[in-house]
Amino acid sequence: MAPESQAREQGEIVFPSGFTWGVATAAHQIEGGNVNNDWWAWEHDPTSGTLEPSGDACDSFHRWREDVQLVADMGLGAYRFSLEWSRIEPAEGEFSTAALEHYRRMCAACHGHGIVPVVTFHHFTTPRWLTDRGGWEAPDAPECFARFVARATAYLGDLIGWACTINEPNVVAVMGYFQGEYPPGVKDDFGRYAAVNEAMLRAHRLAVETLRSGPGDFPVGLTLSMAEITADDGGEALRDAAEEMLENIFLRATGDDDFVGVQCYTRMHFGPDGLAPNDPDVPVTQMGDELWPQAVEHTVRRAAAVSGRPVVVTENGIATADDTERIAFLSDALRSAHRCLAEGIDLRGYFVWSLMDNFEWHLGYGPKFGLVAVAPGTFERRPKPSAHWFGEVARSNRLPAGGAR
Ligand code: BGC
């Protein structure tokens, strides 16, 4: 980059008034004791390759008040969390009022602090009663999901701030039926992978209808995992195919949704033989991903162009043990997001993944994505410097000159 534009890039930037600042979590990654879903079974299957079980996680099922308080202390406007379907519907057709009441109290506490509760209805975990009869491959899985959404919305709808139907359906299908690292651990089965993609898209459309016809009046959208997908020499056709299967089919299915959630972490390369190695000159995160904060602008632009919907960055962050690196990453990511705003893209908000260090699925507790550390054993929450830094950015609605560097 030319020195002149670098200087310009590092100036103070101001976000539009009303821009939403938030943090995100997911039930299974923080609640603990979610014994009744497919992930719990998977974590305890010695053949799954999952490094450790979720166990008590951050004990957020009990400590959620502290978590909402952390969000309030940072001065953020929104908290994105998910409902655990297997707690709300522990057996098919049997709904727990106590579990619904739990999430109702969480939503109410958010409102009490002036925080918008952004509720995700499915974040990777599925009740065991459904996976026992095929999970997302069961012919009526989308209807089962819609029935759960209807019951949950009837109970919570008046308090929901925004709704995300399904978190990253594109990851559920690819990791569960292609890579085999998420349940049900199927590898390279293109037919089953494509069928699950379709089932989840049908579930999304049914959920949107259900949410719009229930109590409350809130924006509804889908959240997608997106990457800056690039082509090395000769990799153009595969890059285009990957974009189509991994992202475009979902982006085009957003219909008249109120927003599309972009969740972006890194860049990927495709060569003539498929997925190619990282650029050796780019450092990697604890996930082994390229440290590539500017993926934000690429993915937001693509999401807006292909879907035609307003965009919210519903997850962005870095797995690192070095909090200074986190601040630098977030600072660069926000500059990247701001370039989209400057181009006139309708970008409505930005959520850091994650509020706190948590259970990173098959990788266990190693990767540290949190703005807040959680002490093992005591569950004590300890905000890191990045929590204070991000709170200041959110409260002032601006990123100071020079960012974090
Ligand atoms: C998921 C989160 C996950 C994060 C970091 C997203 O794909 O929604 O559950 O922890 O990425 O890997």
Side-chain angles (χ1 to χ4, degrees):
M1 186 185 286
E4 185 199 15
S5 57
Q6 213 162 21
R8 192 180 58 230
E9 296 260 310
Q10 297 304 317
E12 178 184 80
I13 52 176
V14 179
F15 285 81
S17 70
F19 191 77
T20 297
W21 297 96
V23 278
T25 61
H28 193 71
Q29 293 178 270
I30 63 166
E31 284 184 350
N34 277 328
V35 300
N36 202 19
N37 68 36
D38 57 340
W39 260 93
W40 186 272
W42 182 244
E43 292 150 35
H44 291 85
D45 174 347
T47 67
S48 75
T50 295
L51 297 183
E52 56 187 322
S54 57
D56 289 330
C58 307
D59 192 29
S60 285
F61 193 74
H62 303 107
R63 292 169 200 260
W64 62 268
R65 283 185 189 80
E66 285 175 57
D67 300 342
V68 173
Q69 186 66 52
L70 287 165
V71 181
D73 290 347
M74 274 185 258
L76 304 182
Y79 180 33
R80 174 171 174 247
F81 56 90
S82 74
L83 308 181
E84 178 55 36
W85 182 2
S86 67
R87 287 187 188 267
I88 293 175
E89 190 178 0
E92 181 157 13
E94 202 175 303
F95 291 86
S96 162
T97 306
L100 285 166
E101 187 56 31
H102 167 85
Y103 293 111
R104 190 169 171 86
R105 284 195 292 264
M106 280 182 74
C107 291
C110 286
H111 285 291
H113 284 290
I115 296 167
V116 174
V118 180
V119 175
T120 303
F121 284 75
H122 185 276
H123 196 126
F124 291 177
T125 55
T126 301
R128 285 205 211 189
W129 58 259
L130 182 54
T131 49
D132 284 349
R133 58 181 188 76
W136 287 100
E137 293 177 284
D140 62 342
E143 284 73 20
C144 291
F145 179 63
R147 179 182 58 194
F148 153 68
V149 171
R151 288 295 286 258
T153 312
Y155 206 91
L156 305 170
D158 58 322
L159 295 184
I160 290 175
W162 304 353
C164 305
T165 56
I166 302 179
N167 183 75
E168 302 186 347
N170 49 345
V171 164
V172 174
V174 92
M175 293 295 271
Y177 295 85
F178 219 77
Q179 311 267 90
E181 282 164 333
Y182 286 11
V186 176
K187 286 203 171 97
D188 297 327
D189 193 325
F190 192 80
R192 291 174 73 184
Y193 158 73
V196 168
N197 273 349
E198 271 190 29
M200 296 195 96
L201 284 175
R202 196 154 70 77
H204 168 66
R205 295 264 41 103
L206 286 174
V208 173
E209 257 174 56
T210 308
L211 288 160
R212 287 191 172 150
S213 55
D217 182 16
F218 43 82
V220 180
L222 178 69
T223 74
L224 291 177
S225 171
M226 292 184 69
E228 181 170 338
I229 307 180
T230 57
D232 295 345
D233 276 351
E236 293 77 6
L238 281 177
R239 186 265 325 269
D240 292 351
E243 270 186 359
E244 180 63 18
M245 274 312 281
L246 293 173
E247 300 181 351
N248 291 358
I249 57 169
F250 296 92
L251 289 168
R252 284 197 299 260
T254 52
D256 69 343
D257 294 359
D258 301 297
F259 67 93
V260 59
V262 167
Q263 319 205 140
C264 52
Y265 291 89
T266 191
R267 177 172 74 162
M268 281 158 41
H269 302 260
F270 275 85
D273 302 320
L275 202 54
N278 289 348
D279 178 340
D281 294 333
V282 176
V284 292
T285 71
Q286 285 179 324
M287 301 290 283
D289 293 334
E290 281 187 3
L291 195 160
W292 199 252
Q294 56 271 55
V296 171
E297 65 190 282
H298 183 94
T299 51
V300 168
R301 265 187 213 117
R302 259 181 44 72
V306 179
S307 74
R309 303 285 82 214
V311 179
V312 179
V313 174
T314 39
E315 285 183 23
N316 176 242
I318 177 174
T320 177
D322 174 356
D323 201 51
T324 308
E325 186 171 64
R326 187 182 333 280
I327 294 174
F329 178 95
L330 296 176
S331 173
D332 288 347
L334 287 171
R335 287 182 186 280
S336 180
H338 195 266
R339 287 191 279 273
C340 294
L341 289 163
E343 286 163 24
I345 293 174
D346 187 359
L347 174 64
R348 306 241 169 127
Y350 175 92
F351 289 65
V352 171
W353 181 271
S354 178
L355 170 60
M356 60 193 141
D357 292 337
N358 62 45
F359 177 69
E360 181 52 34
W361 307 109
H362 63 306
L363 300 175
Y365 288 96
K368 305 292 184 205
F369 277 98
L371 298 177
V372 174
V374 179
T378 65
F379 306 107
E380 189 199 335
R381 275 75 167 133
R382 295 180 187 147
K384 302 177 191 178
S386 56
H388 301 292
W389 176 85
F390 185 61
E392 179 54 32
V393 170
R395 286 190 303 273
S396 61
N397 214 28
R398 63 184 64 213
L399 191 66
R405 294 189 195 270

